[in-house]
DNA sequence: GCTTGACCTTCCAGTGACTGGAACCCCCAT
DNA sequence: ATGGGGGTTCCAGTCACTGGAAGGTCAAGC
């Protein structure tokens, strides 16, 4: 299977697939003409990567998860540890963003948003000690 | 004021301050010896930038906000528009992350996390059609 | 006056995870 | 044989810094 078919099957753009090979995440076969040749196994790996990336795992976490997936003697504790630490990072990010959202929503509410220059948003950014 | 004092006052690292000058966000004075010389006004701008960045505004949004801040004839609607679109982006990101958190938390819950290889997390990443 | 160490300067390179583009090769249908 | 739509590599750019090297400057202590 050529790269564009693998891309269509997995939803991962060809450019990204090449990048994944570049950084050693995958190593698809090569046809005689130099084209990458994706086996079902290779497509499966790409699918795995796509789903792991969609869950927000970093490339390096994906690398580790992929290795564990391949390792039939893995301990599920290792997988769980990676996932748990990623979950913690996600929760931290959600907390940050939620705080930002709170502040921003409040500021936007109190801003008239008309032609006049008075703006509590700028006032807050300028002073910080507002409200 | 030298750069490290400005950094201490604003909480923005010297490296970042230099970077902000590089990309034209700020333009501090220069002393005769070539050192940057930060006025109170310049420190005020840095403070503004620090708070805007802490609210997650991009550098370009900061640039626009800074320009509006300087423009005494601005319309608050312009500020509000920037903030509102940023808020929408934050909310979208929160939604994404919340979905990830849900999936991850569920997977982690169902994973034994022991020495055995069986792992619903990997199963989900591999198949996606689990549960 | 000299040294030392802390500060400042510039410039270059690397991060993460792609993405765009140029230049070129290959295959198939007409 | 030619045209178009694949494929290939490599280089550069994104965003917002961050680290490090090489060198200039300043204030304090001997």
């Amino acid at each position: 299977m050529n790269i564009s078919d693998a891309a269509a099957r997995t939803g991962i753009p060809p450019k990204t697939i090449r990048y994944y090979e570049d950084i050693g995440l995958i190593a698809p076969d090569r046809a005689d003409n130099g084209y990458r040749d994706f086996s079902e196994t290779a497509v499966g790996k790409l699918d795995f990567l796509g789903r792991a990336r969609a869950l927000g795992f970093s490339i390096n976490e994906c690398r580790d998860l992929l290795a564990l997936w391949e390792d039939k003697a893995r301990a599920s504790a290792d997988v769980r540890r990676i996932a748990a630490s990623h979950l913690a990072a996600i929760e931290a990010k959600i907390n940050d963003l939620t705080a930002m959202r709170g502040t921003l929503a409040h500021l936007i509410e109190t801003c008239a948003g008309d032609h006049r220059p008075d703006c509590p948003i700028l006032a807050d950014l300028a002073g910080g000690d507002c409200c």
Side-chain angles (χ1 to χ4, degrees), chain A:
Chain A
M1 190 184 316
N2 279 350
I3 197 169
S4 65
D5 296 320
R9 281 272 301 272
T10 60
I12 302 173
K15 273 273 184 191
T16 304
I17 296 178
R18 292 195 193 97
Y19 170 70
Y20 285 172
E21 181 179 9
D22 238 38
I23 62 173
L25 267 189
I26 54 170
D29 297 335
R30 293 285 176 148
D32 289 342
N33 57 11
Y35 287 18
R36 288 172 187 81
D37 185 19
F38 292 82
S39 65
E40 285 301 316
T41 311
V43 170
K45 272 198 202 185
L46 283 176
D47 261 332
F48 184 100
L49 287 170
R51 271 186 283 268
R53 295 288 300 128
L55 282 177
F57 286 104
S58 74
I59 290 289
N60 273 336
E61 285 166 336
C62 287
R63 202 187 298 275
D64 295 343
L65 289 171
L66 208 46
L68 288 168
W69 186 41
E70 313 260 81
D71 176 8
K72 294 304 170 202
R74 73 199 160 237
S76 65
D78 291 338
V79 183
R80 200 179 199 269
R81 197 176 313 115
I82 295 174
S85 103
H86 177 50
L87 177 58
I90 281 181
E91 278 171 348
K93 216 173 277 178
I94 289 177
N95 285 343
D96 287 357
L97 289 172
T98 304
M100 289 180 196
R101 177 177 61 182
T103 307
L104 269 175
H106 171 65
L107 288 174
I108 290 171
E109 247 175 62
T110 57
C111 174
D114 55 19
H115 65 287
R116 289 171 304 171
D118 316 85
C119 179
I121 302 172
L122 290 180
D124 181 84
L125 291 173
D129 53 353
C130 114
C131 313

